[in-house]
Amino acid sequence: MSIRSWLYVPADDDRKLAKIDASGADAIVLDLEDSVAATNRDAARGKARAILDARPPAARTRQLWVRVNPLDDAALVDLAAVVGGAPDGVILPKIEGAADVARLGFHLDALEVREGLPQGSVRICAVATETPAATLRLAEFAGAKLPRLSALCWGAEDLSAALGASTNLDDSGRWALTFRWARSAMLLAAKAAGVEAVETVYVNYRDSAGLEASSRAAAQEGFTGRVAIHPGQVAPINRAFAPSAEDVELARRIVAAFEKEGGVGTVGIDGKMFDIPHLKRASSLLARHEMFSRRS
Ligand code: COA
Ligand code: MG
């Protein structure tokens, strides 16, 4: 799948919805949760469904996801309204632990039957650090069998509220310790579960340079993509999570050197040693590069 940019769009906002096809985002997230006032939820459900219906899976140029409300709120009403539109996936906010992902999976099992969709076709991305309990339980994802789960994301805003914290930053402007800890634990949980790791929102949406630098740092740590809240954030995020030109060049040289030598376990390039793990990384980097080049 590999999604670099997840562009959130409030699903009740026609002007923003009109921008999704030209956005360049790998995935659009039609939001029914925190960017929509409770009084507008019904309208938002109808609009999200219309967007999905107008872009059936076979005709989709980018993935269409829906962020539903939490399970103890209106998740079921949201799901009943949108699953018939065959979304690529559902983002589940404010989970209390991996058991909530399993519960959502059961609801989707039933709704896919009702809608005549292939079993398991609707994927799940869980926002896994919005409650203290979920953050403490991140290790559960390491052993959980959750076939629909394809990504974990983290969020600092709701966690701050749950902690009663007046800020989530330290004196130097970095995430405060509790939030850095949550972020790292989510990254480890995603890798342990074999799913994508999604970096949280960069709220200063006019600061493209800051966004790109911070996204590149996240990519170097192992994050595979990032939330975007404004169309202007998509291009910097896509660049940051795609292999750089230098990375692609080096990967091509590594693959070529192994092919030329034939049957060896190590090669030297410019006085540096490369072995089989380097070859594997180079091959998967080139595969990602080709996939993203076809997409844009
Ligand atoms: N998706 C699609 N289009 C968007 C968009 C988004 N997330 N955010 C802004 N746009 C559109 C605007 O509608 C505007 O187009 P228009 O002039 O035709 O209306 C254009 O992009 C430029 O927007 P701009 O004027 O720079 O920003 P804004 O003041 O309209 O919106 C926000 C700023 C932050 C309110 C807006 O980006 C937003 O609502 N983001 C999503 C927030 C969200 O989903 N949060 C939940 C997840 S954390
Ligand atoms: Mg939120």
Side-chain angles (χ1 to χ4, degrees):
M1 168 175 82
S2 225
I3 294 172
R4 296 164 298 179
S5 46
W6 304 70
L7 177 60
Y8 278 67
V9 188
D12 62 341
D13 189 328
D14 288 321
R15 291 184 69 125
K16 289 174 183 146
L17 291 171
K19 298 246 171 352
I20 64 177
D21 293 315
S23 68
D26 289 338
I28 298 295
V29 181
L30 302 163
D31 190 20
L32 301 177
E33 198 217 3
D34 279 351
S35 70
V36 175
T39 47
N40 272 356
R41 275 184 191 169
D42 259 330
R45 289 177 188 120
K47 288 180 198 289
R49 177 62 185 267
I51 294 277
L52 291 163
D53 286 345
R55 295 159 188 78
R60 265 174 216 164
T61 53
R62 67 194 77 258
Q63 295 201 11
L64 296 177
W65 287 61
V66 178
R67 180 167 73 169
V68 297
N69 284 282
L71 282 174
D72 62 6
D73 188 349
L76 287 176
V77 188
D78 296 340
L79 291 168
V82 299
V83 169
D88 293 281
V90 168
I91 299 198
L92 185 62
K94 298 182 182 58
I95 63 166
E96 297 285 345
D100 281 347
V101 176
R103 261 175 79 199
L104 173 59
F106 296 138
H107 297 315
L108 290 171
D109 288 344
L111 288 166
E112 283 172 347
V113 170
R114 186 187 75 176
E115 304 296 343
L117 295 172
Q119 274 292 296
S121 56
V122 182
R123 317 290 298 163
I124 296 175
C125 167
V127 193
T129 69
E130 289 186 319
T131 65
T135 309
L136 286 170
R137 290 200 192 112
L138 275 163
E140 290 175 353
F141 284 101
K145 295 209 169 34
L146 300 165
R148 290 178 190 271
L149 188 70
S150 67
L152 290 181
C153 182
W154 80 285
E157 301 309 323
D158 292 281
L159 184 59
S160 311
L163 293 175
S166 54
T167 174
N168 45 36
L169 303 177
D170 68 13
D171 293 342
S172 66
R174 293 194 312 167
W175 293 117
L177 180 60
T178 307
F179 299 88
R180 290 212 299 281
W181 183 84
R183 177 177 178 274
S184 296
M186 185 237 93
L187 176 63
L188 289 163
K191 299 296 161 167
V195 301
E196 299 198 27
V198 185
E199 173 65 301
T200 198
V201 60
Y202 189 85
V203 284
N204 300 329
Y205 58 89
R206 304 268 184 240
D207 177 14
S208 297
L211 167 66
E212 191 161 342
S214 124
S215 301
R216 188 159 296 128
Q220 284 167 350
E221 277 182 86
F223 285 89
T224 48
R226 185 165 204 167
V227 170
I229 51 161
H230 188 282
Q233 292 191 314
V234 169
I237 289 176
N238 283 352
R239 277 196 298 275
F241 288 96
S244 70
E246 302 82 68
D247 292 344
V248 171
E249 170 62 19
L250 178 61
R252 286 199 173 122
R253 290 183 66 197
I254 293 171
V255 170
F258 273 96
E259 273 170 8
K260 189 163 159 241
E261 299 292 330
V264 298
T266 57
V267 296
I269 299 174
D270 297 342
K272 267 176 92 176
M273 186 278 284
F274 295 91
D275 59 9
I276 304 289
H278 293 106
L279 175 61
K280 283 187 187 151
R281 259 189 52 197
S283 304
S284 76
L285 186 144
L286 290 176
R288 274 169 66 78
H289 171 69
E290 269 147 38
M291 174 174 58
F292 294 143
S293 311
R294 278 197 304 274
R295 215 176 265 180
S296 51

